[in-house]
Amino acid sequence: MKVGKSSISKKTIWLIAYPIIFGNLAQTLITLTDTAFLGRVSGIALAASMMAGIYYYVYSTLAWGFSMGIQIIVARRLGENRLERIGVIFEHGLVFVTILSSALFLIQHFFNQQILANVIRSGNIYRSALEYMDYRHYGIIFVCFNFLFRALYIGLGHTKVISYSTLIMAVVNIFLDYALIFGHFGFPQMGVGGAAFASVCAEVSAFLFFIIYTLCVLPLKSYTLFYFHKLEGWLMKSLLRLALPTMFQKLLSFGTWFIFFALVEHMGETPIAVSGIIRSVYMLVMIPVFAFGATANTLTSRLIGEGKQKEVLPTVFKTIRQGLIAILPVLLCCLLMPHTVLSIYTPDLPLATASIPSLLVICCASLAMSFGIPLFEAVSGTGNTSYALILESIVLVAYTFSVWFFASFLGSQVEWVWTSEFTYGALIGLISLAYLKIANWQKKRI
């Protein structure tokens, strides 16, 4: 493919990315707050919330994957200037998400106990994780709809609203975490269950905000939003054809990450406690990476809609460079002040010291991810989501083998298990770059 020069300015990239960064920061503050507060309750509570949280996100990834399909089509229609179809697409998404979220709620409500019992080896962690999920699973319906609204606004390039919604979530979660975990302000002391209930309340608050903002601010007439269009069978099939591979791809990706932590939990309570802290730091470090990945996805779909396929690769590489600039300050803090960073999450000095090697590993891994994630998101942005599923499945085989090998044969050296993140980032970047350079994706219609 002949490559042209990108007409997308750095300013445009940042205008899309920085509200997502801010929104993801607020989302990460929720995890950081849970980790910091529960780390002061006990190592068991910290490990349980982390295991249960990853388990919960495995379910939510199905909604995330479906919303990615909505995001890609919304961005494409925006590029084609067919604004009136955006509301039709969104309403079809509402129908599917209603069915999906109800099914996910019922599965968690009736089968959490059996599933967690087969995954978690420590009895203490299992009981605490089950207490967490007894509250947390009520939030899955709101999470699914929140993903759908995020997809709409990222596809439109109106990403500031995501910042607002996640800021509201963070404020609600931080206040209720403090009140419910420790029993302040007259609230009951609920421990790990309080952290879960606080997260549910935060998700509900974001859902209510999205509805109010959409009705009051978005030009509903231009997009024909909430006009209650008749369901179009061919459109639903097209949406599912595009979204199903992305749903399975996200399910595989986060399902593999759940396997990662399950294997670490089998290494002992100290390695899983270390990984609970490192996961929280890693999510903080990765905020710009995922934000610029979402930006690459949106811009790729928009450029194809505008008939500017030759600008896709230059735009993706420009996005990668901006992402590396954004991630450097956080990396420097982790590398130069590791004890200071880790002290935010735990007052236990031996636990913080044991976490430093893994912290250094994830700093290196985040650089590989800064290269790999935007390239992979660009593959999804072309509309070839089936190929994206195949590409990630290949990489996840290598990733899972790496996790299993290091977790099974290196005892308590959990930092070696975390090197698998570097393997993933490098491989997904290289294989996605090869696809974008060699494959015939330029005329994919969605």
Side-chain angles (χ1 to χ4, degrees):
M1 181 190 75
K2 186 176 179 181
V3 176
K5 187 177 180 181
S6 174
S7 61
I8 303 294
S9 66
K10 295 177 184 177
K11 181 180 179 181
T12 299
I13 292 172
W14 275 96
L15 284 174
I16 295 175
Y18 91 81
I20 303 176
I21 291 174
F22 185 76
N24 288 348
L25 175 61
Q27 180 70 47
T28 303
L29 281 175
I30 295 174
T31 303
L32 186 154
T33 305
D34 287 351
T35 305
F37 287 162
L38 291 174
R40 284 157 173 79
V41 174
S42 70
I44 296 296
L46 175 60
S49 68
M50 189 270 297
M51 286 294 296
I54 294 294
Y55 167 74
Y56 177 80
Y57 283 125
V58 169
Y59 289 93
S60 69
T61 53
L62 288 169
W64 183 14
F66 178 76
S67 71
M68 288 291 293
I70 297 290
Q71 175 184 322
I72 292 166
I73 298 180
V74 167
R76 187 68 58 88
R77 296 296 173 265
L78 183 66
E80 296 168 348
N81 200 32
R82 296 171 62 191
L83 304 183
E84 74 285 351
R85 293 297 296 173
I86 290 173
V88 180
I89 293 162
F90 183 76
E91 288 174 14
H92 280 67
L94 284 174
V95 172
F96 183 80
V97 165
T98 300
I99 298 170
L100 175 66
S101 61
S102 300
L104 294 178
F105 171 79
L106 292 173
I107 292 171
Q108 291 186 71
H109 189 74
F110 291 106
F111 297 104
N112 276 341
Q113 186 172 351
Q114 296 93 315
I115 295 171
L116 290 174
N118 288 319
V119 173
I120 299 175
R121 180 173 296 176
S122 167
N124 291 328
I125 294 177
Y126 165 73
R127 286 187 290 273
S128 194
L130 193 60
E131 179 186 353
Y132 183 93
M133 285 305 303
D134 282 344
Y135 293 98
R136 191 76 168 91
H137 78 281
Y138 286 101
I140 191 66
I141 292 176
F142 303 101
V143 167
C144 290
F145 282 102
N146 288 344
F147 272 125
L148 184 63
F149 278 106
R150 282 173 61 94
L152 172 66
Y153 285 104
I154 293 175
L156 292 173
H158 297 169
T159 50
K160 286 185 179 180
V161 63
I162 297 171
S163 303
Y164 304 148
S165 68
T166 44
L167 179 61
I168 291 171
M169 284 183 68
V171 171
V172 171
N173 189 80
I174 290 170
F175 171 76
L176 290 178
D177 257 359
Y178 183 71
L180 293 171
I181 291 174
F182 303 111
H184 294 300
F185 310 121
F187 286 89
Q189 184 177 348
M190 299 172 63
V192 69
F197 187 73
S199 296
V200 173
C201 292
E203 289 157 355
V204 173
S205 68
F207 173 70
L208 294 174
F209 170 78
F210 273 128
I211 292 176
I212 294 170
Y213 186 94
T214 301
L215 292 175
C216 296
V217 178
L218 215 61
L220 303 182
K221 186 175 182 180
S222 298
Y223 299 135
T224 66
L225 266 172
F226 304 122
Y227 275 50
F228 303 104
H229 301 87
K230 183 180 178 181
L231 285 179
E232 301 172 10
W234 69 270
L235 177 57
M236 186 63 81
K237 288 180 181 178
S238 298
L239 281 171
L240 292 175
R241 192 180 302 118
L242 180 67
L244 281 174
T246 310
M247 292 170 68
F248 285 118
Q249 173 236 315
K250 296 296 183 186
L251 180 63
L252 281 174
S253 182
F254 268 77
T256 304
W257 221 38
F258 183 63
I259 293 171
F260 174 107
F261 287 104
L263 289 171
V264 171
E265 191 268 339
H266 293 171
M267 295 169 68
E269 291 181 355
T270 297
I272 194 63
V274 166
S275 292
I277 294 169
I278 294 303
R279 166 185 170 256
S280 189
V281 180
Y282 191 41
M283 290 177 68
L284 182 64
V285 174
M286 289 289 289
I287 286 171
V289 177
F290 289 124
F292 283 94
T295 302
N297 180 290
T298 295
L299 290 176
T300 296
S301 188
R302 184 187 301 181
L303 286 169
I304 295 173
E306 294 172 353
K308 299 177 180 179
Q309 286 85 342
K310 294 178 181 179
E311 296 186 18
V312 167
L313 265 177
T315 300
V316 173
F317 280 117
K318 186 181 286 188
T319 304
I320 289 172
R321 288 193 293 271
Q322 301 310 305
L324 286 170
I325 292 171
I327 203 175
L328 283 177
V330 185
L331 288 184
L332 289 174
C333 289
C334 291
L335 292 171
L336 298 177
M337 301 180 294
H339 274 105
T340 302
V341 172
L342 294 170
S343 67
I344 298 171
Y345 298 90
T346 178
D348 188 334
L349 184 58
L351 183 59
T353 302
S355 303
I356 289 178
S358 297
L359 178 64
L360 300 179
V361 169
I362 63 163
C363 287
C364 295
S366 64
L367 293 175
M369 289 288 195
S370 297
F371 164 76
I373 295 299
L375 284 165
F376 179 69
E377 289 293 343
V379 173
S380 295
T382 66
N384 287 289
T385 52
S386 296
Y387 284 99
L389 173 61
I390 294 170
L391 295 182
E392 184 158 32
S393 297
I394 294 170
V395 173
L396 286 176
V397 170
Y399 174 83
T400 305
F401 175 79
S402 175
V403 172
W404 170 81
F405 177 80
F406 288 123
S408 301
F409 293 102
L410 289 179
S412 60
Q413 292 178 285
V414 70
E415 60 269 19
W416 282 99
V417 185
W418 279 99
T419 63
S420 303
E421 293 296 310
F422 183 89
T423 301
Y424 176 90
L427 286 179
I428 200 70
L430 291 172
I431 201 168
S432 298
L433 179 60
Y435 176 84
L436 290 170
K437 283 195 169 185
I438 298 171
N440 182 24
W441 49 265
Q442 293 83 359
K443 295 183 180 180
K444 173 73 176 179
R445 295 185 63 85
I446 58 175

